[in-house]
Amino acid sequence: MRIYTRSGDKGTTSLVYGVRVAKNDIRVEAYGTCDEANSYIGLATSFLQKEIFSEKEQLLTFFHKVQTILFHVGAELSTPEGKEVKWKLEEVHIKELEETIDRLDAELSPLNNFVLPGGHPAGAALHVARTIVRRAERTATSIERVNPLVLSYLNRLSDFLFVAARFVNEKLNEREKNLHE
Protein backbone atom coordinates (compact mmCIF):
# COMPACT_ATOMS: atom_id res chain seq x y z
CA MET A 1 0.00 0.00 0.00
CA ARG A 2 1.29 3.43 -0.93
CA ILE A 3 1.37 6.24 1.62
CA TYR A 4 0.22 8.76 -0.97
CA THR A 5 -3.24 8.66 -2.54
CA ARG A 6 -3.28 11.91 -4.53
CA SER A 7 -6.87 12.41 -3.32
CA GLY A 8 -5.90 15.62 -1.51
CA ASP A 9 -4.04 17.22 -4.39
CA LYS A 10 -6.90 19.62 -5.08
CA GLY A 11 -7.22 20.95 -1.54
CA THR A 12 -9.75 18.53 -0.08
CA THR A 13 -9.51 15.73 2.45
CA SER A 14 -11.80 13.11 3.92
CA LEU A 15 -13.47 13.17 7.29
CA VAL A 16 -14.53 9.91 8.89
CA TYR A 17 -17.09 8.06 6.71
CA GLY A 18 -15.43 9.49 3.58
CA VAL A 19 -17.12 12.90 3.64
CA ARG A 20 -14.92 15.24 1.55
CA VAL A 21 -14.23 18.74 2.85
CA ALA A 22 -11.80 21.54 2.11
CA LYS A 23 -8.48 21.22 3.92
CA ASN A 24 -9.21 24.53 5.64
CA ASP A 25 -12.54 23.24 7.02
CA ILE A 26 -12.87 24.07 10.72
CA ARG A 27 -12.98 20.37 11.63
CA VAL A 28 -9.70 19.72 9.78
CA GLU A 29 -8.15 22.75 11.50
CA ALA A 30 -9.27 21.46 14.90
CA TYR A 31 -8.09 17.87 14.58
CA GLY A 32 -4.93 18.96 12.76
CA THR A 33 -4.12 21.25 15.68
CA CYS A 34 -4.64 18.32 18.08
CA ASP A 35 -2.21 16.31 15.96
CA GLU A 36 0.32 19.14 16.20
CA ALA A 37 -0.01 19.18 20.00
CA ASN A 38 0.33 15.40 20.07
CA SER A 39 3.62 15.67 18.18
CA TYR A 40 5.00 18.14 20.72
CA ILE A 41 3.99 15.82 23.55
CA GLY A 42 5.92 13.11 21.72
CA LEU A 43 8.90 15.43 21.47
CA ALA A 44 8.74 16.12 25.21
CA THR A 45 8.62 12.40 26.01
CA SER A 46 11.64 11.76 23.78
CA PHE A 47 13.59 14.28 25.88
CA LEU A 48 12.29 12.73 29.12
CA GLN A 49 13.35 9.20 28.17
CA LYS A 50 16.99 10.28 28.55
CA GLU A 51 16.49 11.67 32.07
CA ILE A 52 16.50 10.06 35.50
CA PHE A 53 13.92 10.99 38.14
CA SER A 54 11.71 8.79 40.27
CA GLU A 55 8.35 9.64 38.67
CA LYS A 56 9.60 9.32 35.08
CA GLU A 57 8.04 5.97 34.13
CA GLN A 58 4.65 6.83 35.60
CA LEU A 59 4.68 10.20 33.82
CA LEU A 60 5.74 8.66 30.50
CA THR A 61 2.94 6.10 30.79
CA PHE A 62 0.41 8.86 31.39
CA PHE A 63 1.73 10.93 28.46
CA HIS A 64 1.27 7.86 26.25
CA LYS A 65 -2.33 7.61 27.44
CA VAL A 66 -2.88 11.32 26.75
CA GLN A 67 -1.50 10.91 23.24
CA THR A 68 -3.89 8.01 22.66
CA ILE A 69 -6.87 9.98 24.00
CA LEU A 70 -5.95 12.86 21.68
CA PHE A 71 -6.74 10.43 18.86
CA HIS A 72 -10.20 10.01 20.43
CA VAL A 73 -10.54 13.81 20.41
CA GLY A 74 -9.49 13.77 16.76
CA ALA A 75 -12.13 11.12 16.04
CA GLU A 76 -14.78 13.33 17.65
CA LEU A 77 -13.65 16.32 15.60
CA SER A 78 -13.30 14.44 12.30
CA THR A 79 -16.68 12.71 12.44
CA PRO A 80 -19.33 14.57 10.44
CA GLU A 81 -22.40 15.76 12.29
CA GLY A 82 -25.06 13.07 12.56
CA LYS A 83 -22.61 10.17 12.26
CA GLU A 84 -21.51 7.89 15.09
CA VAL A 85 -18.06 8.50 16.56
CA LYS A 86 -16.02 5.29 16.53
CA TRP A 87 -13.63 6.20 19.38
CA LYS A 88 -15.68 8.17 21.87
CA LEU A 89 -14.26 10.55 24.39
CA GLU A 90 -15.56 9.80 27.88
CA GLU A 91 -15.93 11.73 31.13
CA VAL A 92 -13.40 9.37 32.75
CA HIS A 93 -10.69 10.78 30.46
CA ILE A 94 -11.25 14.24 31.90
CA LYS A 95 -11.31 12.86 35.45
CA GLU A 96 -7.95 11.13 34.88
CA LEU A 97 -6.45 14.44 33.78
CA GLU A 98 -7.82 16.19 36.87
CA GLU A 99 -6.50 13.50 39.21
CA THR A 100 -3.06 13.65 37.62
CA ILE A 101 -3.03 17.45 37.74
CA ASP A 102 -3.84 17.32 41.45
CA ARG A 103 -1.19 14.67 42.13
CA LEU A 104 1.58 16.54 40.30
CA ASP A 105 0.54 19.95 41.61
CA ALA A 106 0.73 18.68 45.21
CA GLU A 107 4.45 18.08 44.68
CA LEU A 108 5.17 21.51 43.21
CA SER A 109 6.27 24.62 45.01
CA PRO A 110 3.50 27.24 45.32
CA LEU A 111 2.92 29.34 42.23
CA ASN A 112 3.59 32.98 43.14
CA ASN A 113 4.07 34.55 39.72
CA PHE A 114 3.74 33.96 36.02
CA VAL A 115 5.77 31.10 34.61
CA LEU A 116 7.93 31.86 31.62
CA PRO A 117 7.84 28.97 29.14
CA GLY A 118 11.18 27.25 28.82
CA GLY A 119 13.46 25.31 31.11
CA HIS A 120 14.45 21.76 30.28
CA PRO A 121 13.77 20.85 26.61
CA ALA A 122 10.98 18.49 27.78
CA GLY A 123 9.38 21.25 29.85
CA ALA A 124 9.70 23.72 26.99
CA ALA A 125 8.09 21.24 24.56
CA LEU A 126 5.22 20.73 27.01
CA HIS A 127 4.69 24.50 27.15
CA VAL A 128 4.51 24.57 23.34
CA ALA A 129 2.04 21.64 23.40
CA ARG A 130 -0.04 23.56 25.97
CA THR A 131 -0.35 26.61 23.73
CA ILE A 132 -1.23 24.43 20.73
CA VAL A 133 -3.94 22.67 22.76
CA ARG A 134 -5.34 26.11 23.66
CA ARG A 135 -5.51 26.88 19.93
CA ALA A 136 -7.23 23.54 19.28
CA GLU A 137 -9.76 24.40 21.96
CA ARG A 138 -10.43 27.84 20.46
CA THR A 139 -10.83 26.27 17.02
CA ALA A 140 -13.13 23.50 18.29
CA THR A 141 -15.50 26.09 19.76
CA SER A 142 -16.31 27.13 16.18
CA ILE A 143 -17.69 23.70 15.30
CA GLU A 144 -21.45 23.57 15.56
CA ARG A 145 -22.71 20.96 18.02
CA VAL A 146 -19.25 19.78 19.01
CA ASN A 147 -19.29 17.23 21.81
CA PRO A 148 -18.93 19.29 25.02
CA LEU A 149 -16.50 16.66 26.33
CA VAL A 150 -14.08 17.68 23.59
CA LEU A 151 -13.99 21.24 24.87
CA SER A 152 -13.67 20.09 28.49
CA TYR A 153 -10.90 17.64 27.63
CA LEU A 154 -8.89 20.20 25.68
CA ASN A 155 -9.34 22.76 28.45
CA ARG A 156 -8.17 20.31 31.10
CA LEU A 157 -5.38 19.01 28.88
CA SER A 158 -3.85 22.47 28.60
CA ASP A 159 -4.01 22.73 32.41
CA PHE A 160 -2.31 19.34 32.71
CA LEU A 161 0.43 20.31 30.26
CA PHE A 162 1.11 23.50 32.23
CA VAL A 163 1.43 21.55 35.49
CA ALA A 164 3.45 18.80 33.79
CA ALA A 165 5.88 21.36 32.34
CA ARG A 166 6.36 22.89 35.80
CA PHE A 167 6.73 19.42 37.34
CA VAL A 168 9.34 18.31 34.81
CA ASN A 169 11.28 21.55 35.14
CA GLU A 170 11.25 21.45 38.93
CA LYS A 171 12.25 17.77 39.11
CA LEU A 172 15.06 18.12 36.60
CA ASN A 173 16.29 21.45 38.01
CA GLU A 174 16.26 19.88 41.49
CA ARG A 175 18.29 16.95 40.22
CA GLU A 176 20.77 19.30 38.49
CA LYS A 177 21.14 21.32 41.69
CA ASN A 178 21.80 18.15 43.72
CA LEU A 179 24.45 16.99 41.21
CA HIS A 180 26.36 20.25 41.63
CA GLU A 181 26.30 20.36 45.45
Side-chain angles (χ1 to χ4, degrees):
M1 183 175 163
R2 295 181 314 210
I3 190 69
Y4 57 91
T5 62
R6 297 187 177 111
S7 61
D9 289 354
K10 294 184 178 144
T12 64
T13 192
S14 289
L15 297 178
V16 177
Y17 295 101
V19 175
R20 301 291 298 175
V21 296
K23 287 189 177 184
N24 65 354
D25 184 271
I26 197 68
R27 288 184 174 279
V28 178
E29 284 291 327
Y31 72 71
T33 305
C34 288
D35 187 39
E36 189 179 343
N38 208 339
S39 295
Y40 268 96
I41 294 168
L43 178 64
T45 62
S46 72
F47 289 130
L48 283 178
Q49 288 171 359
K50 299 173 184 151
E51 299 298 340
I52 299 169
F53 61 102
S54 60
E55 303 87 350
K56 179 179 96 170
E57 293 307 317
Q58 187 177 7
L59 195 57
L60 286 174
T61 299
F62 192 72
F63 279 129
H64 183 267
K65 183 167 193 164
V66 165
Q67 288 185 282
T68 302
I69 300 305
L70 268 173
F71 283 118
H72 293 250
V73 172
E76 293 274 0
L77 294 169
S78 64
T79 300
E81 189 178 336
K83 300 286 187 176
E84 184 178 348
V85 177
K86 293 182 181 182
W87 298 301
K88 293 181 190 229
L89 193 57
E90 299 175 13
E91 189 72 44
V92 67
H93 299 132
I94 297 163
K95 185 150 183 57
E96 289 169 341
L97 280 174
E98 292 172 344
E99 289 169 354
T100 305
I101 290 167
D102 293 342
R103 184 177 53 77
L104 296 180
D105 196 46
E107 294 188 43
L108 292 171
S109 58
L111 190 59
N112 297 321
N113 50 24
F114 286 104
V115 174
L116 291 175
H120 185 275
L126 292 171
H127 277 297
V128 173
R130 171 185 57 81
T131 63
I132 294 169
V133 168
R134 287 282 189 214
R135 180 166 25 101
E137 180 186 11
R138 290 189 306 270
T139 303
T141 63
S142 297
I143 299 172
E144 287 188 41
R145 292 181 277 288
V146 68
N147 180 349
L149 292 178
V150 167
L151 301 179
S152 295
Y153 187 83
L154 292 173
N155 187 281
R156 215 69 79 250
L157 178 58
S158 64
D159 295 336
F160 164 72
L161 292 169
F162 175 76
V163 170
R166 285 188 63 222
F167 184 84
V168 164
N169 283 335
E170 277 194 24
K171 289 295 177 184
L172 296 177
N173 285 339
E174 182 180 294
R175 187 201 66 192
E176 272 300 306
K177 204 164 64 174
N178 289 338
L179 288 174
H180 291 96
E181 288 181 349

